[in-house]
Amino acid sequence: MAENGEEKLLAMARHIARTLGHNDDTMADDILQIFSNFDGRFSRDKLTDLDDPRPSASLQLSINSLDRQISQYVASDHPIWADSADSSAFLDSVDELIATIREWTPLAAADKSVSTCLVRADELLQQSMFRLEDEFRSLMERGGQSFELSESTGNLSFDSDDDEDEGVIGNGENHHQIPVAQPISEYDIVIDALPSATINDLSEIAKRMVTAGFGKECSHVYSSCRREFLEESISRLGLQKLSIEEVHKMPWQEIEEQIERWVKATNLALRILFPSERRLCDRVFFGLSSAADLSFMEVCRGSSIQLLNFADAIAIGSRSPERLFKVLDLFETLRDLMPEFESVFSDQYCLVLRNEAVTIWKRLGEAIRGIFMELENLIRRDPAKAAVPGGGLHPITRYVMNYLRAACRSRQTLEQVFEKDSSSSLSVQMSWIMELLESNLEVKSKIYRDPALCSVFMINNGRYIVQKVNNSELGSLLGEDWIRKHNAKVRQYHSNYQRSSWNKILGILKVENSSSSAPNGAAARSMKEKLKLFNLSFDEICKTQTPWVIFDEQFREELKNSVIKILLPAYGNFIGKFQNIPEIGKHPDRLIKYVVEDVEARINELFQGNVAPAGGGRK
């Protein structure tokens, strides 16, 4: 009987609610809520008319039940994922809510009450997603902290080379110690940046958020956390975050240091950090390829742009020849890492990063070609003002030849660079620079008024050029014909020297047969005059040429021996004839300043690069 009375009471309450709210489902629902709050017998489950013919009745019942289940977790002050049972129950409720919305959405257009219920369901879903977003962020942060403190980071963290005591900052206060890395010799390493259990939890949350249409929000939370980790990892290598303008204002010495760090950081990023982030994205967003690709791009974009912008700043900066070798380092690093760019940034979201890497790599190639053009201009502009003392090696010759030899150590890279420019090749470029250098040296040789010294200058510089070309990559580029041709040029300079220095003396020593038989002592007077003239000329040459320089010791000896070879026989023959002329007198040796050995000794003193020794003839 009591049960029958309670049933009548419940029926009356339902009737009142329907009557007062017959035009407004929300009002009816509010009235039922008032009854439920007034008397425990009027619970929402009991008051809801299971026989209500409206389609929204069962939907409303489901939403009410899900609201109670979900709200207790949404309002909780404690992390849901601190308890596996709570997290599992919360995800089950979210799954049911998503399924309910998906099931009833097709009916919303035809039934206003269903549409009203779905609005409430969407609000509940949004609250659930906000809480899932918070839980996702909390798991990311807690997981990252546990990884940083684990032993696995001991050999995977990288510090800069600046200071040994990086853990001590300021006035000796101990701050967070950055783990010190062992040197990396191989890059086949993948970092599991989060514990596996955390990754599984994140994956479960990501599935719900993407399914509910909150994939971008999930990706944003993920990328903001991982981006910070990635940027910190790169900054530990000492690579500064610089704009292109800031790079252009830096002294070259500082830029060189930054390039060394850039090479290290870029290899680390492309071979270890980025692949590890790709793997982590794929695990967290397993089965959600679009979300994984978007998240990965957002994580790596900032660090990638930082690395590429620095290389771009160098590529569009000064083309000073001294920069060649560091620009080659940048070019070779990007070239060698291009397969990694292709594989790691293979999805549609990363296409712009991949294309930018290729563009900057090509721009570095253009910079290298531009540096060689600037080297040509440097040679052309080098002034022919002051002569090098003693006809020695000119600084421009030493600079250019050592520069080209060093550059040719990267021959394969340079050939690749010049292949991009169909108008030239590396061998053509080198030949052209050598031609410019030789033309410049010929102009500089004209500064010397003495033709012999002009020849000595060309001997020194020509000999140095050939030596630097021989047995080097530069020589293989220029070819054997080039080397033979320039050896012949050096020999020609040698001949020019002998002709301009010693032909006149050889002419003095030449004795005509007719003069030896001349009457009245004419032969004696002629021979005495010739001897006197020889002594004067020989002394003058020795005085002048002793301070001259032949830098190559072997060639210096060859040059002196060649002079000895032509001069001593002529002088010996002359002295012999001089001594046999009767009119000379009984003691002809008194008139001879130099014996043959003295002449040889004086010749051996040539090209010492210092002041001529005192004395001269025999003692």
Side-chain angles (χ1 to χ4, degrees):
M1 180 69 83
E3 292 178 2
N4 187 38
E6 183 177 338
E7 183 61 35
K8 289 181 179 180
L9 185 62
L10 292 172
M12 184 180 296
R14 285 195 292 267
H15 175 72
I16 292 171
R18 281 198 300 270
T19 301
L20 294 176
H22 69 280
N23 290 326
D24 191 334
D25 291 332
T26 302
M27 180 181 291
D29 191 56
D30 290 341
I31 293 170
L32 290 175
Q33 182 66 45
I34 292 170
F35 281 137
S36 177
N37 294 338
F38 177 75
D39 192 321
R41 291 175 297 172
F42 300 144
S43 67
R44 294 291 298 271
D45 292 342
K46 291 180 179 179
L47 288 172
T48 302
D49 191 352
L50 298 178
D51 298 325
D52 192 333
R54 292 179 302 168
S56 62
S58 61
L59 172 60
Q60 185 176 354
L61 180 62
S62 297
I63 293 174
N64 291 340
S65 175
L66 289 170
D67 191 357
R68 290 193 301 274
Q69 297 172 39
I70 290 173
S71 295
Q72 62 176 324
Y73 294 111
V74 170
S76 175
D77 294 333
H78 302 289
I80 299 174
W81 261 257
D83 188 313
S84 59
D86 287 344
S87 61
S88 179
F90 183 50
L91 288 179
D92 288 343
S93 298
V94 171
D95 288 340
E96 187 176 348
L97 178 60
I98 293 172
T100 299
I101 293 173
R102 183 176 295 172
E103 179 183 353
W104 285 91
T105 296
L107 303 177
D111 193 322
K112 183 180 179 182
S113 62
V114 172
S115 176
T116 302
C117 289
L118 287 178
V119 169
R120 183 179 166 212
D122 285 335
E123 293 174 352
L124 183 59
L125 181 62
Q126 191 171 41
Q127 295 172 18
S128 303
M129 291 301 109
F130 289 158
R131 183 56 192 253
L132 281 178
E133 184 178 326
D134 291 339
E135 294 291 328
F136 192 93
R137 181 182 291 104
S138 179
L139 284 170
M140 290 286 295
E141 293 172 352
R142 293 203 307 271
Q145 291 171 0
S146 65
F147 171 76
E148 288 178 4
L149 297 176
S150 69
E151 293 182 0
S152 63
T153 61
N155 59 351
L156 293 177
S157 297
F158 299 87
D159 62 343
S160 67
D161 297 330
D162 291 343
D163 300 301
E164 296 179 357
D165 300 325
E166 290 189 20
V168 179
I169 304 174
N171 298 321
E173 296 180 2
N174 289 325
H175 290 251
H176 178 67
Q177 186 84 22
I178 298 175
V180 178
Q182 299 298 321
I184 292 182
S185 57
E186 298 181 359
Y187 288 96
D188 54 346
I189 301 171
V190 176
I191 301 173
D192 285 322
L194 296 173
S196 294
T198 301
I199 293 174
N200 293 335
D201 290 337
L202 291 169
S203 180
E204 292 300 319
I205 295 175
K207 288 176 184 176
R208 273 69 179 190
M209 293 188 71
V210 172
T211 301
F214 287 76
K216 287 186 177 180
E217 290 78 0
C218 185
S219 292
H220 176 73
V221 175
Y222 175 89
S223 60
S224 63
C225 293
R226 294 308 305 163
R227 182 167 54 245
E228 183 178 348
F229 169 84
L230 189 59
E231 291 176 354
E232 174 64 19
S233 298
I234 291 177
S235 71
R236 289 182 179 183
L237 287 168
L239 188 66
Q240 301 177 34
K241 225 173 187 179
L242 301 166
S243 67
I244 291 178
E245 293 76 15
E246 289 172 330
V247 173
H248 289 169
K249 293 178 182 178
M250 289 175 67
W252 175 241
Q253 186 176 2
E254 292 181 20
I255 294 177
E256 285 184 304
E257 294 174 359
Q258 284 296 304
I259 288 174
E260 291 176 4
R261 291 170 181 167
W262 181 91
V263 170
K264 188 186 298 183
T266 305
N267 272 289
L268 177 66
L270 268 297
R271 298 181 188 273
I272 297 179
L273 294 178
F274 290 168
S276 297
E277 292 299 328
R278 177 77 257 185
R279 181 172 182 264
L280 182 61
C281 276
D282 290 341
R283 293 180 66 189
V284 170
F285 296 96
F286 180 75
L288 308 168
S289 59
S290 181
D293 293 344
L294 176 61
S295 300
F296 175 71
M297 187 274 290
E298 290 292 341
V299 169
C300 298
R301 179 174 57 183
S303 297
S304 300
I305 290 174
Q306 177 188 352
L307 295 171
L308 291 174
N309 277 354
F310 179 80
D312 196 27
I314 303 301
I316 64 178
S318 169
R319 301 293 170 86
S320 174
E322 66 178 358
R323 299 191 169 207
L324 172 66
F325 305 101
K326 287 302 181 183
V327 176
L328 280 170
D329 288 344
L330 292 170
F331 180 88
E332 290 172 346
T333 298
L334 279 184
R335 177 198 63 194
D336 296 342
L337 289 175
M338 207 52 65
E340 279 71 21
F341 273 104
E342 293 289 339
S343 62
V344 173
F345 297 135
S346 59
D347 60 84
Q348 58 176 341
Y349 292 106
C350 292
L351 178 62
V352 63
L353 295 177
R354 191 167 68 246
N355 290 342
E356 185 68 6
V358 174
T359 298
I360 293 173
W361 174 53
K362 292 180 179 178
R363 202 170 288 156
L364 285 167
E366 294 171 3
I368 291 170
R369 292 192 292 272
I371 287 173
F372 274 94
M373 291 179 63
E374 187 58 32
L375 177 64
E376 295 172 15
N377 293 332
L378 183 149
I379 296 170
R380 289 191 188 98
R381 293 193 299 260
D382 191 64
K385 293 182 179 178
V388 177
L393 185 63
H394 198 281
I396 191 69
T397 306
R398 189 188 303 274
Y399 175 81
V400 171
M401 295 312 301
N402 287 327
Y403 186 94
L404 295 182
R405 273 179 66 98
C408 284
R409 296 191 190 108
S410 302
R411 175 180 175 178
Q412 183 178 0
T413 300
L414 290 174
E415 286 179 333
Q416 183 180 11
V417 167
F418 281 96
E419 280 174 6
K420 303 293 183 182
D421 182 6
S422 58
S423 65
S424 181
S425 67
L426 181 59
S427 59
V428 170
Q429 180 68 39
M430 291 298 175
S431 297
W432 173 238
I433 292 175
M434 297 303 298
E435 186 176 334
L436 285 175
L437 176 60
E438 291 175 60
S439 298
N440 182 278
L441 291 171
E442 287 174 3
V443 172
K444 287 178 168 59
S445 71
K446 306 304 181 185
I447 300 175
Y448 299 101
R449 296 180 180 179
D450 189 332
L453 185 54
C454 174
S455 297
V456 167
F457 175 79
M458 294 305 295
I459 287 172
N460 277 314
N461 289 272
R463 177 77 170 177
Y464 187 84
I465 289 171
V466 172
Q467 283 184 340
K468 288 295 181 179
V469 169
N470 268 326
N471 304 317
S472 69
E473 288 291 339
L474 182 56
S476 63
L477 275 171
L478 295 172
E480 292 297 327
D481 287 343
W482 189 96
I483 295 173
R484 280 194 296 270
K485 176 182 175 182
H486 284 76
N487 272 322
K489 281 188 176 183
V490 174
R491 289 193 296 271
Q492 184 60 49
Y493 298 141
H494 181 184
S495 298
N496 293 345
Y497 162 76
Q498 285 190 342
R499 183 170 59 252
S500 58
S501 286
W502 301 102
N503 276 8
K504 180 181 177 181
I505 285 186
L506 290 173
I508 293 172
L509 296 175
K510 189 174 182 182
V511 179
E512 299 292 341
N513 291 330
S514 58
S515 63
S516 62
S517 59
N520 301 323
R525 288 194 299 271
S526 174
M527 293 293 282
K528 286 180 181 180
E529 189 64 29
K530 282 179 176 290
L531 183 58
K532 182 180 179 181
L533 190 57
F534 169 83
N535 291 337
L536 289 172
S537 299
F538 184 68
D539 285 344
E540 181 63 26
I541 289 177
C542 291
K543 178 182 177 181
T544 301
Q545 297 191 8
T546 296
W548 291 2
V549 176
I550 298 293
F551 83 93
D552 181 74
E553 183 177 356
Q554 178 184 347
F555 196 80
R556 183 167 65 242
E557 294 305 314
E558 290 178 5
L559 187 59
K560 290 190 289 189
N561 287 335
S562 68
V563 173
I564 290 171
K565 187 175 180 181
I566 60 171
L567 184 60
L568 260 60
Y571 183 70
N573 181 58
F574 177 86
I575 292 299
K577 291 183 177 181
F578 180 82
Q579 291 172 329
N580 290 328
I581 295 177
E583 290 81 358
I584 294 297
K586 295 182 178 180
H587 303 287
D589 292 345
R590 294 179 181 178
L591 301 175
I592 298 172
K593 184 177 181 179
Y594 297 107
V595 296
V596 172
E597 291 76 11
D598 293 334
V599 172
E600 182 176 1
R602 290 299 302 277
I603 292 173
N604 282 325
E605 291 172 355
L606 299 179
F607 313 122
Q608 298 299 314
N610 52 27
V611 179
R618 57 183 179 176
K619 297 188 170 51

